[in-house]
Amino acid sequence: MEHTTSSKNILITGGSGFIGRRIADLCRGNGHALSFLTTNIERETTEPLFYWNVKENYIDTHSTENKDIVIHLPGAGIAERYWTADRKKEIWESRVLTTRMLYDTLKNQKSLLPECLIAVSAIGYYGANTGDTWLEENTKSGDDFLAKVVFEWEAEVQKISLLGIRTVILRLGVVLGKDGGFLQKMLFLLQKGMISVIGNGNQYISWIDREDLVRLLYQASQEKKWNGIFNAVSPNPVSNKYFTYALARCFHKKIYLPAVPSFVLKLIYGEMAQIITGGNRASSQKIESMGFVFDCKTIEECLSLHSRTLQK
């Protein structure tokens, strides 16, 4: 693996989030100096904090100075609240406008630019429900709300590449980790006996273990051969039904409830229901061809790992 050994100055956006906390830990562990762009400038830390706020259209323009690497992890949670008009605006702004602010700052920077920017987006780029078609990075974008957000989001990242900065976009699938995100929500439902298959259960979940994702982010930041767009997913996407029963087996639970019809979820959640009634089957072939090796290739490996740590 072509890792650099010298210490780098790394700026992270979204550093207090589910993914950001772990990539920050990995960077520190490898001797890099960290700073953060944050809306919470008051939080206790010994590392430099720079303030930005998309609602105020403000970014500290000193934040990107003397940085070697920028790791950009923006985005309000898509499943945390109903998709009202205001919430959809927040989802869009937290991805598209924050990236535009970052681009404007870099474009106007007088000092040396960072050598690379690693940004995340989402496989929602392809559309909410793409059936069992294998999705590769050159597959066309979808036309629903999230697909349009991701399309515009990536367009802002691509502008950064035009500044001569090596730019990598990782399209995230469902990220599985023991202390947050999708898995935590599913485990809560499982413990309460409230988990069930969604619809016919055939919709695909393209997933990646959080530790694999963090190593991927780090590897892409350190190796100059990484450039462009990559699906950040494991090699083995599974159906909703397969995932649900695999989760129950790993945690020694039973599923009591019948499948929930998709139309019921659409009645309850409206447009937001597409997150769980739809699905994508994204290919990991491109990142594997770059030499990335997964620790968790199958959903059983991933869930068994987390079941051991959570049940200690």
Side-chain angles (χ1 to χ4, degrees):
M1 205 180 286
E2 174 211 322
H3 286 338
T4 58
T5 54
S6 60
S7 175
K8 302 283 188 180
N9 289 316
I10 301 177
L11 174 69
I12 302 177
T13 75
S16 61
F18 179 58
I19 299 166
R21 296 192 304 270
R22 293 298 297 125
I23 187 61
D25 288 343
L26 181 58
C27 290
R28 283 189 202 98
N30 281 283
H32 301 293
L34 302 186
S35 56
F36 299 88
L37 261 171
T38 178
T39 57
N40 181 16
I41 202 73
E42 301 299 325
R43 83 171 193 240
E44 290 187 16
T45 177
T46 57
E47 294 163 325
L49 301 177
F50 298 93
Y51 183 68
W52 72 339
N53 192 313
V54 68
K55 296 185 184 305
E56 300 169 8
N57 192 30
Y58 177 82
I59 180 171
D60 187 333
T61 55
H62 298 295
S63 58
T64 57
E65 293 175 354
N66 303 311
K67 301 300 184 296
D68 300 302
I69 297 167
V70 178
I71 298 177
H72 185 39
L73 309 169
I78 61 171
E80 290 176 4
R81 297 207 295 274
Y82 289 101
W83 285 4
T84 62
D86 284 346
R87 183 58 176 173
K88 287 171 80 170
K89 181 182 178 186
E90 187 176 1
I91 288 169
W92 182 84
E93 288 181 346
S94 67
R95 289 161 171 80
V96 179
L97 288 193
T98 56
T99 308
R100 188 176 299 167
M101 289 163 61
L102 196 56
Y103 164 74
D104 287 339
T105 301
L106 290 165
K107 180 182 66 173
N108 296 317
Q109 187 166 303
K110 304 302 181 186
S111 59
L112 192 66
L113 289 170
E115 61 192 54
C116 78
L117 175 131
I118 313 297
V120 298
S121 68
I123 60 170
Y125 172 92
Y126 304 111
N129 192 359
T130 50
D132 61 0
T133 302
W134 279 105
L135 305 170
E136 297 183 342
E137 288 78 358
N138 59 359
T139 302
K140 69 177 184 179
S141 64
D143 60 4
D144 54 73
F145 166 66
L146 285 181
K148 290 175 180 175
V149 168
V150 179
F151 183 88
E152 292 184 53
W153 183 9
E154 290 189 0
E156 295 298 326
V157 179
Q158 297 283 21
K159 284 160 57 177
I160 293 173
S161 71
L162 299 178
L163 300 175
I165 298 170
R166 178 173 67 86
T167 301
V168 179
I169 296 174
L170 299 178
R171 287 179 181 156
L172 305 188
V174 174
V175 182
L176 301 178
K178 65 181 180 180
D179 56 354
F182 180 79
L183 183 58
Q184 187 180 58
K185 291 181 173 69
M186 292 301 101
L187 283 174
F188 174 81
L189 294 175
L190 184 67
Q191 299 293 348
K192 300 292 184 182
M194 297 167 57
I195 199 168
S196 65
V197 173
I198 303 299
N200 62 18
N202 292 334
Q203 63 274 32
Y204 273 93
I205 299 172
S206 288
W207 60 275
I208 186 169
D209 185 82
R210 181 176 59 171
E211 298 309 304
D212 277 336
L213 173 59
V214 166
R215 288 191 305 104
L216 176 60
L217 280 163
Y218 187 76
Q219 186 171 330
S221 75
Q222 299 296 307
E223 297 180 3
K224 294 180 181 178
K225 67 180 181 179
W226 289 79
N227 213 329
I229 298 172
F230 300 86
N231 290 334
V233 294
S234 79
N236 295 292
V238 294
S239 69
N240 170 269
K241 184 175 182 178
Y242 191 100
F243 174 84
T244 304
Y245 279 91
L247 183 67
R249 283 195 304 272
C250 275
F251 286 86
H252 310 293
K253 298 289 183 179
K254 290 186 178 180
I255 295 172
Y256 299 101
L257 297 178
V260 180
S262 295
F263 79 87
V264 172
L265 293 167
K266 290 174 184 174
L267 285 173
I268 296 171
Y269 295 110
E271 188 179 4
M272 191 176 78
Q274 65 185 235
I275 300 167
I276 45 177
T277 60
N280 304 101
R281 193 185 192 191
S283 169
S284 66
Q285 187 174 351
K286 189 175 178 183
I287 57 172
E288 290 185 283
S289 72
M290 296 292 289
F292 182 76
V293 178
F294 288 89
D295 284 339
C296 290
K297 284 192 172 184
T298 69
I299 198 67
E300 286 82 5
E301 288 173 333
C302 176
L303 295 178
S304 294
L305 174 66
H306 295 305
S307 69
R308 289 195 300 272
T309 56
L310 287 168
Q311 294 180 35
K312 282 182 179 178

